[in-house]
Amino acid sequence: MAKYDYDLFVIGGGSGGVRAGRVAASLGKKVAVAEEYRFGGTCVIRGCVPKKLFVYASQFSEHFEDSAGYGWTVGEPSFDWPTLIANKDKEIARLEAAYRSGLGNAKAETVDSRAELVDDHHVRIVAEDRVVSAETILIATGGRPNPHKALPGHEHCISSNEAFHLAALPQSIAIEGGGYIAIEFANIFHGLGVDTTLIYRGKEILGRFDMDLRRSLHEEMENKGIRILCQTVALGVDKLPSGQRAVHLSSGETLAVDQVMLAIGRVPNTEGLGLEAAGVETGKTGEIIVDEYSRTNVSNVYAIGDVTNRVQLTPVAIHEAMCFVDTVYQGKPTSPDHETIATAVFSQPEIGTVGLSEDQASAEFDELEVYLARFRPMRHTLSGRKEKMVMKLVVDGASRRVLGAHILGPDAGEMAQLLAIPIKARLSKDDFDRAMAVHPTAAEELVTMYQPSYRVKKGERQAG
Ligand code: NDP
């Protein structure tokens, strides 16, 4: 008889957990994957996927406006929130079923329950009040929105979780935060016609991105009519008899809005998971501490994805899952590679970026060449839209290696994915220059910027 009920028990059926469970099962391992909510996890159920569908929905208002310059007359457009929600829910249910059947087809067991560690080899399946044993346990429980408990009235606010299921589209919203989620949702709500105010504690939104992108995006968002209040925080939120919320700001102003959304980061889902019982160490924010092979301090317990708070991105969790399988089941110890990760912010206009920002590069390299283009993309010529596109390459002056590429404008995310290849391959500006342009595209700018716009020497910007 086998010593354990399972070779592998995965807690959490999100992107990372499902991938690890499915691939391990396809290698003939006896696997169970437990999920307390819905298979697919944050990305599929209440993150990347429904968010992108919302982004598409919100872009139509500008598409309708832009079409006039191309000769179209469209009637007065109207938008129906319940239709969007219902169609989105249908698509999410389809994807959830695909995640589930992917596990089933690989002969992994799906367990519809919360699961908690009892000790290093035992897991309690809470819904069935049953304990099972496993040789290896993988924790992939992800994260959840920081509820901002220090904010008086935080219970009157929503997070991105609720934004996907609001019974009605608010007429006005205040969003606190200056990161991915706050920026993406500010643009979504604005595009859907909601009066939107963004509240950010720092000086400049999207602090980790290249300065030219974050400043230009800030400007474009304000030009559209989004109100952005920097160096401001909410001090308290009250629920008014009308049902509206009053947001008391550090500036002394009080906003009356239909909804307040908090997007101030996500915290690892480790509460009540039984980590102490199993002896698994966690860090300051509750994240599970792992080594370079995603192994915890307990030798048969591993953790991947957002719960480890390394890089909170779906493709990273999936990559960590594949490395886990290689390490544990394929005899090939493999560390996840967290270097040079391309990423997009689905703002409007969109951000796509890979590699070092100018600030990061100038802290590491003595001399940089910076290639910067700002132009009106062709699609905005006849539409009359004033929005500018920004493209920037940051190049090491000594080796001419392209260290970073940063794009603001339509399809920037798609471009960042392709730029990830030459930048990961450490190609040089000369390689970029040798590539023939695809004309007419916006992306051709990336291979036709022949002269640096300026140089940076020891952190100091020089004339061009
Ligand atoms: P981010 O870490 O991107 O941003 C959090 C924001 O909240 C920052 O602007 C931060 O300010 C601010 N903040 C933090 N604490 C407080 C506080 N106490 N009071 C006021 N403001 C505060 O987190 P998000 O919640 O936007 O997203 C979580 C993660 O999900 C992201 O890091 C990203 O990895 C992932 N994600 C990725 C997406 C994509 O790939 N397109 C889309 C959505 C999410 P400061 O800058 O000053 O620290």
Side-chain angles (χ1 to χ4, degrees), residues 71-370:
W72 290 89
T73 303
V74 283
E76 185 64 32
S78 69
F79 170 71
D80 187 52
W81 174 255
T83 302
L84 173 65
I85 298 294
N87 289 343
K88 178 266 294 177
D89 285 345
K90 221 159 89 188
E91 174 59 8
I92 300 309
R94 186 186 72 78
L95 291 172
E96 182 186 6
Y99 266 68
R100 216 180 249 284
S101 63
L103 284 168
N105 294 342
K107 307 257 179 302
E109 204 178 303
T110 49
V111 179
D112 290 283
S113 169
R114 181 174 173 79
E116 295 169 0
L117 295 169
V118 176
D119 60 34
D120 55 349
H121 281 290
H122 290 86
V123 174
R124 178 184 310 284
I125 297 173
V126 175
E128 301 167 21
D129 197 18
R130 173 166 77 90
V131 173
V132 296
S133 63
E135 182 174 12
T136 303
I137 295 171
L138 177 66
I139 304 170
T141 48
R144 63 178 189 285
N146 179 346
H148 202 357
K149 287 198 175 139
L151 175 71
H154 66 90
E155 66 278 12
H156 304 311
C157 304
I158 62 166
S159 71
S160 53
N161 284 354
E162 291 73 39
F164 291 115
H165 295 285
L166 290 175
L169 182 67
Q171 288 186 2
S172 54
I173 192 163
I175 302 178
E176 173 139 41
Y180 283 84
I181 297 179
I183 300 299
E184 291 180 341
F185 272 92
N187 284 281
I188 288 169
F189 281 117
H190 171 78
L192 296 177
V194 180
D195 181 20
T196 304
T197 305
L198 185 75
I199 303 160
Y200 175 50
R201 68 178 178 184
K203 252 192 177 154
E204 291 182 354
I205 58 170
L206 291 175
R208 282 167 282 176
F209 287 78
D210 188 87
M211 55 189 155
D212 285 295
L213 298 198
R214 56 177 197 251
R215 287 175 195 159
S216 303
L217 176 64
H218 182 132
E219 234 170 77
E220 298 295 359
M221 285 173 62
E222 282 189 332
N223 290 342
K224 286 178 200 289
I226 299 171
R227 192 167 174 227
I228 304 180
L229 307 174
C230 286
Q231 295 180 293
T232 305
V233 289
L235 298 177
V237 177
D238 294 323
K239 190 169 175 184
L240 301 172
S242 64
Q244 278 201 313
R245 272 65 173 152
V247 191
H248 307 288
L249 301 177
S250 52
S251 58
E253 188 185 353
T254 295
L255 302 174
V257 287
D258 289 348
Q259 293 285 358
V260 183
M261 177 170 163
L262 301 175
I264 61 158
R266 295 175 58 84
V267 292
N269 262 334
T270 47
E271 249 173 56
L273 205 55
L275 296 174
E276 278 172 27
V280 173
E281 266 176 25
T282 53
K284 270 196 199 130
T285 60
E287 77 279 13
I288 297 181
I289 298 171
V290 290
D291 69 9
E292 70 267 40
Y293 298 109
S294 301
R295 189 198 294 250
T296 70
N297 61 309
V298 177
S299 66
N300 67 305
V301 180
Y302 290 75
I304 54 168
D306 286 5
V307 75
T308 62
N309 203 14
R310 287 176 281 183
V311 182
Q312 295 181 350
L313 294 172
T314 299
V316 174
I318 292 172
H319 169 66
E320 289 168 1
M322 296 306 286
C323 293
F324 160 79
V325 171
D326 281 349
T327 302
V328 178
Y329 296 118
Q330 303 271 50
K332 280 189 295 182
T334 309
S335 300
D337 176 1
H338 292 123
E339 284 293 308
T340 317
I341 296 169
T343 180
V345 182
F346 294 100
S347 45
Q348 297 169 40
E350 193 169 300
I351 281 182
T353 183
V354 54
L356 301 181
S357 67
E358 183 183 325
D359 284 343
Q360 289 166 332
S362 64
E364 268 186 53
F365 293 82
D366 280 348
E367 191 174 337
L368 302 177
E369 294 171 6
V370 177

Side-chain angles (χ1 to χ4, degrees), residues 376-390:
R376 196 186 207 189
M378 193 174 179
R379 71 156 74 174
H380 291 333
T381 52
L382 298 199
S383 73
R385 188 167 293 285
K386 299 256 171 347
E387 211 164 279
K388 288 269 173 56
M389 189 145 190
V390 180

